[in-house]
Coordinates of all heavy atoms in Angstrom, one line a residue:
M1048 N 15.1 30.2 94.2 CA 13.8 29.7 93.8 C 14.0 29.4 92.4 O 14.5 30.1 91.5 CB 12.7 30.8 93.9 CG 11.5 30.3 93.6 SD 10.0 31.4 93.9 CE 9.8 31.5 95.5
D1049 N 13.3 28.2 91.9 CA 13.4 27.8 90.6 C 12.6 28.7 89.7 O 11.4 29.1 90.1 CB 12.9 26.4 90.4 CG 13.1 25.7 89.1 OD1 14.1 26.0 88.4 OD2 12.2 24.9 88.8
A1050 N 13.0 29.0 88.5 CA 12.4 29.9 87.5 C 11.0 29.3 87.2 O 10.0 30.1 86.8 CB 13.3 30.2 86.3
D1051 N 10.9 28.0 87.0 CA 9.7 27.3 86.6 C 8.6 27.5 87.7 O 7.4 27.6 87.4 CB 9.9 25.8 86.3 CG 10.4 25.7 85.0 OD1 10.5 26.5 84.1 OD2 10.9 24.5 84.7
I1052 N 9.0 27.6 89.0 CA 7.9 27.9 89.9 C 7.4 29.2 89.7 O 6.1 29.4 89.8 CB 8.6 27.8 91.4 CG1 9.0 26.2 91.6 CG2 7.6 28.2 92.5 CD1 9.9 26.1 92.9
I1053 N 8.1 30.2 89.5 CA 7.6 31.6 89.1 C 6.7 31.4 88.0 O 5.6 32.0 87.9 CB 8.7 32.6 88.9 CG1 9.7 32.7 90.1 CG2 8.3 33.8 88.5 CD1 9.0 33.3 91.3
G1054 N 7.2 30.8 86.9 CA 6.4 30.6 85.7 C 5.0 29.9 86.0 O 4.0 30.4 85.4
F1055 N 5.0 28.9 86.8 CA 3.7 28.2 87.0 C 2.8 29.0 87.9 O 1.6 29.0 87.8 CB 4.0 26.9 87.7 CG 4.5 25.8 86.8 CD1 5.6 25.2 86.8 CD2 3.5 25.5 85.7 CE1 6.1 24.2 85.9 CE2 3.9 24.4 84.9 CZ 5.1 23.9 84.8
I1056 N 3.3 29.9 88.9 CA 2.5 30.8 89.6 C 1.9 31.8 88.7 O 0.6 32.1 88.7 CB 3.4 31.5 90.7 CG1 3.7 30.5 91.7 CG2 2.5 32.6 91.3 CD1 4.8 31.0 92.8
G1057 N 2.7 32.4 87.7 CA 2.2 33.2 86.8 C 1.1 32.5 85.8 O 0.1 33.1 85.5
T1058 N 1.4 31.2 85.5 CA 0.4 30.5 84.7 C -1.0 30.4 85.4 O -2.1 30.6 84.9 CB 0.9 29.1 84.4 OG1 2.1 29.3 83.6 CG2 -0.1 28.2 83.7
A1059 N -1.0 30.1 86.7 CA -2.1 30.0 87.6 C -3.0 31.3 87.5 O -4.1 31.3 87.2 CB -1.8 29.5 88.8
I1060 N -2.3 32.4 87.7 CA -2.9 33.7 87.7 C -3.5 34.0 86.3 O -4.6 34.5 86.2 CB -2.0 34.7 88.2 CG1 -1.5 34.5 89.7 CG2 -2.6 36.1 88.1 CD1 -0.5 35.3 90.2
L1061 N -2.7 33.9 85.3 CA -3.1 34.1 84.0 C -4.3 33.2 83.5 O -5.1 33.7 82.9 CB -1.9 33.9 82.9 CG -2.2 34.3 81.5 CD1 -2.7 35.7 81.4 CD2 -1.0 34.0 80.7
A1062 N -4.3 32.0 84.0 CA -5.4 31.1 83.7 C -6.8 31.6 84.1 O -7.7 31.3 83.4 CB -5.1 29.7 84.2
V1063 N -6.7 32.2 85.2 CA -8.0 32.7 85.8 C -8.5 34.1 85.4 O -9.6 34.5 85.7 CB -8.0 32.5 87.3 CG1 -7.9 31.0 87.7 CG2 -7.1 33.5 88.0
T1064 N -7.7 34.9 84.6 CA -8.0 36.2 84.2 C -9.3 36.2 83.3 O -10.0 37.2 83.5 CB -6.8 36.9 83.6 OG1 -6.4 36.1 82.4 CG2 -5.7 37.1 84.4
L1065 N -9.4 35.3 82.4 CA -10.5 35.4 81.6 C -11.8 34.6 82.0 O -12.8 34.8 81.4 CB -10.1 34.9 80.1 CG -9.4 35.9 79.3 CD1 -8.9 35.3 77.9 CD2 -10.0 37.2 79.1
L1066 N -11.6 33.7 83.0 CA -12.6 32.9 83.5 C -14.0 33.8 83.9 O -15.1 33.3 83.6 CB -12.3 32.0 84.6 CG -11.3 30.9 84.1 CD1 -10.9 30.0 85.4 CD2 -12.1 30.0 83.1
P1067 N -13.8 34.9 84.6 CA -15.0 35.6 84.9 C -15.8 36.2 83.7 O -17.0 36.1 83.7 CB -14.5 36.8 85.8 CG -13.2 36.2 86.3 CD -12.6 35.4 85.3
Q1068 N -15.1 36.6 82.7 CA -15.7 37.0 81.5 C -16.4 35.9 80.7 O -17.5 36.0 80.2 CB -14.7 37.7 80.6 CG -15.2 38.3 79.3 CD -16.2 39.5 79.7 OE1 -15.8 40.4 80.4 NE2 -17.4 39.4 79.3
V1069 N -15.7 34.8 80.6 CA -16.3 33.7 80.0 C -17.6 33.2 80.7 O -18.6 33.0 80.0 CB -15.4 32.5 79.9 CG1 -16.0 31.2 79.3 CG2 -14.2 32.8 79.0
Y1070 N -17.5 33.1 82.1 CA -18.7 32.7 82.8 C -19.8 33.6 82.6 O -21.0 33.4 82.3 CB -18.3 32.6 84.4 CG -19.5 32.4 85.2 CD1 -20.0 31.0 85.3 CD2 -20.1 33.5 85.9 CE1 -21.1 30.9 86.1 CE2 -21.1 33.2 86.7 CZ -21.6 31.9 86.8 OH -22.8 31.7 87.6
K1071 N -19.5 35.0 82.7 CA -20.6 36.0 82.6 C -21.2 36.0 81.1 O -22.3 36.2 81.0 CB -20.0 37.4 82.8 CG -21.0 38.5 82.8 CD -20.4 39.8 83.2 CE -21.6 40.9 83.2 NZ -20.9 42.3 83.4
S1072 N -20.4 35.8 80.2 CA -20.8 35.9 78.8 C -21.9 34.6 78.5 O -22.9 34.7 77.9 CB -19.7 35.6 77.8 OG -18.8 36.8 77.9
F1073 N -21.5 33.5 79.0 CA -22.3 32.3 78.7 C -23.6 32.4 79.7 O -24.7 31.9 79.4 CB -21.6 31.0 79.0 CG -20.9 30.6 77.8 CD1 -19.5 31.1 77.6 CD2 -21.5 30.0 76.8 CE1 -18.8 30.7 76.5 CE2 -20.8 29.6 75.6 CZ -19.4 30.0 75.4
K1074 N -23.4 32.9 81.0 CA -24.5 33.0 82.0 C -25.6 34.0 81.4 O -26.9 33.7 81.5 CB -24.1 33.5 83.2 CG -25.1 33.6 84.3 CD -24.7 34.0 85.6 CE -25.8 34.2 86.6 NZ -25.5 35.0 87.7
N1075 N -25.2 35.1 80.9 CA -26.2 36.1 80.5 C -26.4 36.1 78.9 O -27.3 36.9 78.5 CB -25.6 37.5 80.9 CG -25.5 37.7 82.2 OD1 -26.1 37.1 83.1 ND2 -24.4 38.5 82.7
N1076 N -25.8 35.2 78.2 CA -25.9 35.2 76.7 C -25.7 36.7 76.1 O -26.4 36.9 75.2 CB -27.2 34.7 76.2 CG -27.3 33.2 76.6 OD1 -26.4 32.5 77.0 ND2 -28.5 32.7 76.5
Q1077 N -24.8 37.4 76.6 CA -24.6 38.8 76.1 C -23.1 39.0 76.0 O -22.3 38.9 76.9 CB -25.1 39.9 77.1 CG -26.6 39.9 77.3 CD -27.2 40.9 78.2 OE1 -26.4 41.4 79.1 NE2 -28.4 41.1 78.1
V1078 N -22.8 39.3 74.8 CA -21.4 39.6 74.4 C -21.2 40.8 73.5 O -20.2 41.0 72.9 CB -20.7 38.3 73.7 CG1 -20.6 37.2 74.6 CG2 -21.5 38.0 72.6
G1079 N -22.1 41.7 73.5 CA -22.2 42.8 72.6 C -21.0 43.8 73.0 O -20.5 44.4 72.0
D1080 N -20.5 43.8 74.2 CA -19.4 44.7 74.5 C -18.0 44.1 74.2 O -17.1 44.8 74.3 CB -19.4 45.1 75.9 CG -20.6 46.0 76.2 OD1 -21.1 46.6 75.3 OD2 -20.9 46.0 77.5
L1081 N -18.0 42.8 73.7 CA -16.6 42.2 73.4 C -16.3 42.5 72.0 O -17.1 42.3 71.1 CB -16.8 40.7 73.6 CG -17.0 40.2 75.0 CD1 -17.1 38.7 75.0 CD2 -15.9 40.6 75.9
S1082 N -15.0 42.9 71.8 CA -14.5 43.1 70.5 C -14.0 41.9 69.8 O -13.1 41.2 70.3 CB -13.4 44.2 70.5 OG -12.7 44.2 69.3
I1083 N -14.6 41.5 68.7 CA -14.2 40.3 68.1 C -12.7 40.5 67.5 O -12.0 39.6 67.4 CB -15.2 39.9 66.8 CG1 -14.8 38.6 66.3 CG2 -15.0 41.0 65.7 CD1 -15.1 37.4 67.2
V1084 N -12.3 41.7 67.2 CA -11.0 41.9 66.7 C -9.9 41.6 67.9 O -9.0 41.0 67.7 CB -10.8 43.4 66.2 CG1 -9.3 43.7 65.9 CG2 -11.6 43.6 64.9
S1085 N -10.4 42.1 69.0 CA -9.5 41.8 70.2 C -9.4 40.4 70.5 O -8.3 39.8 70.9 CB -10.1 42.6 71.4 OG -9.4 42.3 72.6
I1086 N -10.5 39.6 70.4 CA -10.5 38.2 70.6 C -9.6 37.5 69.6 O -8.9 36.6 70.0 CB -11.9 37.7 70.6 CG1 -12.8 38.3 71.8 CG2 -12.0 36.1 70.7 CD1 -14.2 38.0 71.7
I1087 N -9.8 37.9 68.3 CA -9.0 37.3 67.3 C -7.4 37.5 67.5 O -6.6 36.6 67.3 CB -9.5 37.8 65.9 CG1 -10.8 37.1 65.6 CG2 -8.3 37.4 64.8 CD1 -11.4 37.8 64.3
L1088 N -7.1 38.8 67.9 CA -5.8 39.1 68.3 C -5.3 38.2 69.4 O -4.1 37.8 69.4 CB -5.6 40.5 68.5 CG -5.8 41.5 67.1 CD1 -5.7 42.9 67.6 CD2 -4.6 41.2 66.2
Q1089 N -6.1 38.1 70.4 CA -5.7 37.3 71.6 C -5.5 35.9 71.2 O -4.5 35.2 71.6 CB -6.8 37.4 72.6 CG -6.5 36.5 73.9 CD -5.5 37.2 74.7 OE1 -5.5 38.4 75.0 NE2 -4.6 36.5 75.3
I1090 N -6.3 35.3 70.4 CA -6.2 33.9 69.8 C -4.9 33.8 69.1 O -4.1 32.9 69.3 CB -7.4 33.4 69.1 CG1 -8.6 33.4 70.0 CG2 -7.1 32.1 68.3 CD1 -9.9 33.1 69.2
S1091 N -4.6 34.7 68.2 CA -3.4 34.6 67.3 C -2.1 34.7 68.3 O -1.2 33.9 68.1 CB -3.3 35.8 66.5 OG -4.5 35.8 65.6
A1092 N -2.2 35.6 69.3 CA -1.0 35.7 70.1 C -0.8 34.5 71.0 O 0.3 34.0 71.2 CB -1.3 37.0 71.0
N1093 N -1.9 34.0 71.5 CA -1.7 32.7 72.3 C -1.3 31.5 71.5 O -0.4 30.8 71.9 CB -3.2 32.4 72.8 CG -3.7 33.2 73.9 OD1 -4.8 33.7 73.9 ND2 -2.8 33.6 74.8
I1094 N -1.6 31.4 70.2 CA -1.1 30.3 69.3 C 0.4 30.6 69.2 O 1.2 29.6 69.3 CB -1.9 30.3 68.1 CG1 -3.3 29.7 68.3 CG2 -1.1 29.3 67.1 CD1 -4.2 29.9 67.1
L1095 N 0.8 31.8 68.9 CA 2.2 32.0 68.6 C 3.0 31.8 69.8 O 4.1 31.2 69.8 CB 2.4 33.5 68.2 CG 1.9 33.7 66.7 CD1 1.9 35.2 66.3 CD2 2.6 32.9 65.7
F1096 N 2.5 32.3 71.0 CA 3.4 32.1 72.3 C 3.3 30.6 72.7 O 4.3 30.1 73.3 CB 2.7 33.0 73.4 CG 3.3 34.3 73.5 CD1 2.5 35.4 73.2 CD2 4.7 34.4 73.8 CE1 3.1 36.6 73.3 CE2 5.2 35.7 73.8 CZ 4.4 36.9 73.6
A1097 N 2.3 29.8 72.4 CA 2.3 28.4 72.7 C 3.4 27.7 71.9 O 4.1 26.8 72.3 CB 0.9 27.7 72.5
V1098 N 3.5 28.1 70.6 CA 4.5 27.5 69.7 C 5.8 27.9 70.1 O 6.8 27.2 70.2 CB 4.3 27.9 68.2 CG1 5.4 27.6 67.4 CG2 3.0 27.3 67.7
Y1099 N 6.0 29.2 70.5 CA 7.3 29.6 71.1 C 7.7 28.9 72.3 O 8.9 28.5 72.4 CB 7.1 31.1 71.4 CG 8.4 31.8 72.1 CD1 9.6 31.9 71.5 CD2 8.2 32.2 73.4 CE1 10.6 32.4 72.1 CE2 9.3 32.7 74.1 CZ 10.5 32.9 73.5 OH 11.5 33.4 74.2
G1100 N 6.7 28.7 73.2 CA 7.0 27.9 74.4 C 7.5 26.5 74.1 O 8.3 26.1 74.8
Y1101 N 7.0 26.0 73.2 CA 7.3 24.6 72.7 C 8.7 24.6 72.1 O 9.5 23.8 72.3 CB 6.4 24.0 71.6 CG 6.8 22.8 71.0 CD1 6.6 21.5 71.7 CD2 7.4 22.7 69.7 CE1 7.0 20.3 71.3 CE2 7.8 21.5 69.3 CZ 7.6 20.3 70.0 OH 8.0 19.1 69.4
M1102 N 9.0 25.7 71.3 CA 10.4 25.8 70.7 C 11.5 26.1 71.7 O 12.6 25.5 71.6 CB 10.3 27.0 69.7 CG 9.5 26.7 68.4 SD 9.4 28.0 67.3 CE 10.8 28.1 66.6
I1103 N 11.2 26.7 72.8 CA 12.2 26.9 73.9 C 12.1 26.0 74.9 O 12.7 26.1 75.9 CB 12.2 28.5 74.3 CG1 10.9 28.7 75.0 CG2 12.4 29.3 73.2 CD1 10.9 30.1 75.8
N1104 N 11.1 25.0 74.8 CA 10.9 23.9 75.8 C 10.6 24.6 77.2 O 11.1 24.3 78.3 CB 12.1 23.1 75.9 CG 11.8 21.8 76.6 OD1 10.7 21.3 76.6 ND2 12.8 21.2 77.2
S1105 N 9.7 25.5 77.2 CA 9.1 26.1 78.4 C 7.8 25.7 78.7 O 6.8 26.2 78.1 CB 9.3 27.6 78.3 OG 8.7 28.2 79.5
L1106 N 7.6 24.8 79.6 CA 6.2 24.3 79.9 C 5.4 25.4 80.5 O 4.2 25.4 80.1 CB 6.3 23.2 80.9 CG 5.1 22.3 81.3 CD1 4.4 21.8 80.0 CD2 5.3 21.3 82.2
P1107 N 5.8 26.3 81.4 CA 4.8 27.4 81.8 C 4.3 28.2 80.7 O 3.1 28.7 80.7 CB 5.7 28.2 82.8 CG 6.7 27.2 83.3 CD 7.1 26.3 82.1
V1108 N 5.2 28.6 79.8 CA 4.7 29.4 78.5 C 3.5 28.6 77.8 O 2.6 29.2 77.4 CB 5.8 29.8 77.7 CG1 5.4 30.5 76.4 CG2 6.8 30.7 78.5
M1109 N 3.9 27.4 77.6 CA 3.0 26.5 76.8 C 1.6 26.5 77.5 O 0.6 26.7 76.9 CB 3.4 25.2 76.4 CG 4.7 25.2 75.5 SD 5.3 23.5 75.0 CE 6.0 23.0 76.4
V1110 N 1.7 26.0 78.8 CA 0.5 25.8 79.5 C -0.4 27.1 79.7 O -1.6 27.1 79.5 CB 0.8 25.2 80.9 CG1 -0.5 25.1 81.8 CG2 1.4 23.9 80.7
S1111 N 0.3 28.1 80.1 CA -0.5 29.4 80.2 C -1.2 29.8 79.0 O -2.4 30.2 79.0 CB 0.4 30.5 80.9 OG 1.4 30.9 79.9
N1112 N -0.5 29.7 77.9 CA -1.0 30.3 76.7 C -2.1 29.3 76.1 O -3.1 29.7 75.5 CB 0.0 30.6 75.6 CG 0.7 31.8 75.8 OD1 0.2 32.9 75.6 ND2 1.8 31.8 76.4
C1113 N -2.0 28.0 76.3 CA -3.1 27.1 75.9 C -4.3 27.4 76.7 O -5.4 27.2 76.3 CB -2.5 25.7 76.1 SG -1.4 25.3 74.7
M1114 N -4.2 27.5 78.0 CA -5.3 27.8 78.9 C -6.0 29.1 78.5 O -7.3 29.2 78.5 CB -4.8 27.9 80.4 CG -4.4 26.6 80.9 SD -3.6 26.9 82.6 CE -4.7 25.8 83.6
V1115 N -5.3 30.2 78.2 CA -5.9 31.4 77.8 C -6.5 31.2 76.4 O -7.5 31.8 76.0 CB -4.9 32.6 77.9 CG1 -5.6 33.9 77.3 CG2 -4.5 32.8 79.2
L1116 N -5.8 30.4 75.6 CA -6.5 30.1 74.2 C -7.8 29.5 74.4 O -8.7 29.9 73.6 CB -5.5 29.2 73.4 CG -5.9 28.8 72.1 CD1 -6.1 30.0 71.1 CD2 -5.0 27.8 71.5
V1117 N -7.9 28.5 75.3 CA -9.3 27.8 75.5 C -10.3 28.9 75.9 O -11.4 29.0 75.4 CB -9.3 26.7 76.5 CG1 -10.6 26.3 77.0 CG2 -8.3 25.6 76.0
C1118 N -9.9 29.9 76.8 CA -10.9 30.9 77.2 C -11.2 31.8 76.0 O -12.3 32.3 75.9 CB -10.3 31.7 78.4 SG -10.3 30.8 79.9
S1119 N -10.2 32.2 75.3 CA -10.4 33.1 74.2 C -11.3 32.5 73.0 O -12.2 33.1 72.5 CB -9.1 33.5 73.6 OG -8.3 34.2 74.5
L1120 N -11.1 31.1 72.8 CA -11.9 30.5 71.9 C -13.4 30.4 72.4 O -14.4 30.5 71.6 CB -11.3 29.1 71.6 CG -10.1 29.0 70.8 CD1 -9.4 27.5 70.8 CD2 -10.3 29.5 69.3
S1121 N -13.5 30.2 73.7 CA -14.8 30.2 74.2 C -15.6 31.5 74.0 O -16.7 31.5 73.7 CB -14.9 29.9 75.7 OG -14.2 28.6 75.9
L1122 N -14.8 32.6 74.2 CA -15.4 33.9 74.0 C -15.8 34.1 72.6 O -16.8 34.7 72.2 CB -14.4 35.0 74.5 CG -14.3 35.0 76.0 CD1 -13.3 36.2 76.4 CD2 -15.6 35.5 76.6
A1123 N -14.9 33.7 71.6 CA -15.2 33.7 70.1 C -16.4 33.0 69.9 O -17.3 33.4 69.1 CB -14.1 33.3 69.4
Y1124 N -16.5 31.8 70.4 CA -17.7 31.0 70.1 C -19.0 31.7 70.6 O -20.0 31.8 69.9 CB -17.5 29.7 70.9 CG -18.7 28.7 70.8 CD1 -19.0 28.0 69.5 CD2 -19.7 28.6 71.8 CE1 -20.1 27.2 69.5 CE2 -20.8 27.8 71.7 CZ -21.0 27.0 70.5 OH -22.1 26.3 70.4
A1125 N -18.9 32.2 71.8 CA -20.1 33.0 72.5 C -20.4 34.2 71.5 O -21.5 34.5 71.3 CB -19.7 33.4 73.8
K1126 N -19.3 34.9 71.1 CA -19.6 36.1 70.2 C -20.3 35.7 69.0 O -21.3 36.4 68.6 CB -18.2 36.8 70.0 CG -18.3 38.1 69.1 CD -18.9 39.2 70.0 CE -18.8 40.5 69.3 NZ -19.4 41.6 70.0
C1127 N -19.9 34.5 68.3 CA -20.6 34.1 67.2 C -22.0 33.6 67.5 O -23.0 33.9 66.7 CB -19.8 33.1 66.5 SG -18.2 33.5 65.8
C1128 N -22.1 32.9 68.6 CA -23.5 32.4 68.9 C -24.6 33.4 69.3 O -25.7 33.3 69.1 CB -23.4 31.4 69.9 SG -22.6 29.8 69.3
F1129 N -24.1 34.4 70.2 CA -25.1 35.3 70.8 C -25.3 36.6 70.0 O -26.0 37.4 70.5 CB -24.6 35.6 72.2 CG -24.4 34.3 73.0 CD1 -23.4 34.3 74.0 CD2 -25.2 33.2 73.0 CE1 -23.2 33.2 74.8 CE2 -25.1 32.1 73.7 CZ -24.1 32.1 74.7
T1130 N -24.6 36.7 68.9 CA -24.9 38.0 68.1 C -24.8 37.5 66.6 O -24.3 36.5 66.3 CB -23.8 39.0 68.3 OG1 -22.4 38.5 68.0 CG2 -23.7 39.5 69.7
G1131 N -25.4 38.3 65.8 CA -25.2 38.1 64.3 C -25.9 37.0 63.6 O -26.8 36.6 64.2
E1132 N -25.4 36.7 62.4 CA -26.3 35.8 61.6 C -26.3 34.3 62.2 O -27.2 33.6 61.9 CB -25.7 35.8 60.2 CG -24.4 35.1 60.0 CD -23.3 36.2 59.9 OE1 -23.5 37.4 60.2 OE2 -22.0 35.8 59.7
Y1133 N -25.2 33.9 63.0 CA -25.2 32.6 63.5 C -26.4 32.4 64.5 O -27.0 31.4 64.5 CB -23.9 32.3 64.3 CG -22.7 32.4 63.3 CD1 -21.8 33.4 63.5 CD2 -22.5 31.4 62.3 CE1 -20.7 33.5 62.5 CE2 -21.4 31.4 61.5 CZ -20.5 32.5 61.7 OH -19.4 32.6 60.8
K1134 N -26.7 33.4 65.2 CA -27.9 33.2 66.2 C -29.1 33.2 65.4 O -30.0 32.4 65.8 CB -27.8 34.5 67.1 CG -28.9 34.4 68.2 CD -28.9 35.6 69.1 CE -29.9 35.5 70.2 NZ -29.9 36.6 71.1
E1135 N -29.3 33.8 64.3 CA -30.6 33.8 63.6 C -30.8 32.5 62.9 O -32.0 32.1 62.8 CB -30.5 35.0 62.5 CG -30.5 36.3 63.2 CD -30.2 37.4 62.1 OE1 -30.2 37.1 60.9 OE2 -30.1 38.6 62.5
V1136 N -29.8 31.8 62.4 CA -30.0 30.5 61.8 C -30.0 29.3 62.7 O -30.2 28.1 62.4 CB -29.0 30.2 60.6 CG1 -29.1 31.3 59.6 CG2 -27.6 30.2 61.1
G1137 N -29.8 29.6 64.0 CA -29.7 28.5 65.0 C -28.5 27.6 65.0 O -28.6 26.5 65.5
A1138 N -27.5 28.1 64.5 CA -26.2 27.4 64.5 C -25.6 27.0 65.8 O -25.0 26.0 65.9 CB -25.2 28.1 63.6
C1139 N -26.0 27.7 66.8 CA -25.6 27.5 68.2 C -26.6 27.1 69.1 O -26.7 27.7 70.2 CB -24.7 28.7 68.7 SG -23.4 29.2 67.6
S1140 N -27.6 26.4 68.6 CA -28.8 26.1 69.4 C -28.5 25.3 70.7 O -29.3 25.2 71.6 CB -29.9 25.4 68.6 OG -29.5 24.2 68.1
A1141 N -27.4 24.7 70.6 CA -27.1 23.8 71.9 C -26.6 24.6 73.0 O -26.6 24.0 74.1 CB -25.8 22.9 71.4
V1142 N -26.3 25.9 72.9 CA -25.8 26.8 74.0 C -27.0 27.2 74.8 O -28.1 27.5 74.3 CB -25.0 27.9 73.4 CG1 -24.7 28.8 74.5 CG2 -23.8 27.4 72.8

């Protein structure tokens, strides 16, 4: 079996791991239990792994980390919009 097939299967599974949390956060407008530190660390790790995947020319590594990065950025956006000073000034009124 080709190693990339295993990588793409892992990518598919990893891609959906954060989707339920993103959906629930935006549906309920509640993110109080999410740690912003954890989200920032996740974003940092995804960026570094995406760059690493590019450097070693590994499409599964790049794709999976970019997908999780989008989910993590969505959670960071929700965290800023649904809590704290951003919510008070209406900076995220489109949500």
Side-chain angles (χ1 to χ4, degrees):
M1048 181 181 287
D1049 187 36
D1051 279 346
I1052 293 172
I1053 300 289
F1055 282 116
I1056 292 170
T1058 295
I1060 294 169
L1061 183 61
V1063 299
T1064 58
L1065 287 177
L1066 288 179
Q1068 185 64 56
V1069 171
Y1070 175 77
K1071 183 177 179 183
S1072 295
F1073 279 92
K1074 181 181 178 200
N1075 299 331
N1076 292 348
Q1077 294 179 341
V1078 291
D1080 291 339
L1081 296 178
S1082 166
I1083 193 65
V1084 173
S1085 176
I1086 294 170
I1087 291 170
L1088 289 172
Q1089 179 73 44
I1090 290 169
S1091 301
N1093 291 135
I1094 291 170
L1095 291 172
F1096 272 116
V1098 170
Y1099 171 71
Y1101 176 77
M1102 292 172 73
I1103 66 169
N1104 198 25
S1105 175
L1106 190 59
V1108 173
M1109 289 185 291
V1110 170
S1111 64
N1112 282 284
C1113 288
M1114 293 173 119
V1115 175
L1116 177 62
V1117 169
C1118 289
S1119 298
L1120 288 171
S1121 298
L1122 289 175
Y1124 177 80
K1126 183 73 172 175
C1127 290
C1128 286
F1129 303 145
T1130 60
E1132 70 263 9
Y1133 297 107
K1134 184 176 181 180
E1135 294 170 9
V1136 296
C1139 300
S1140 58
V1142 175

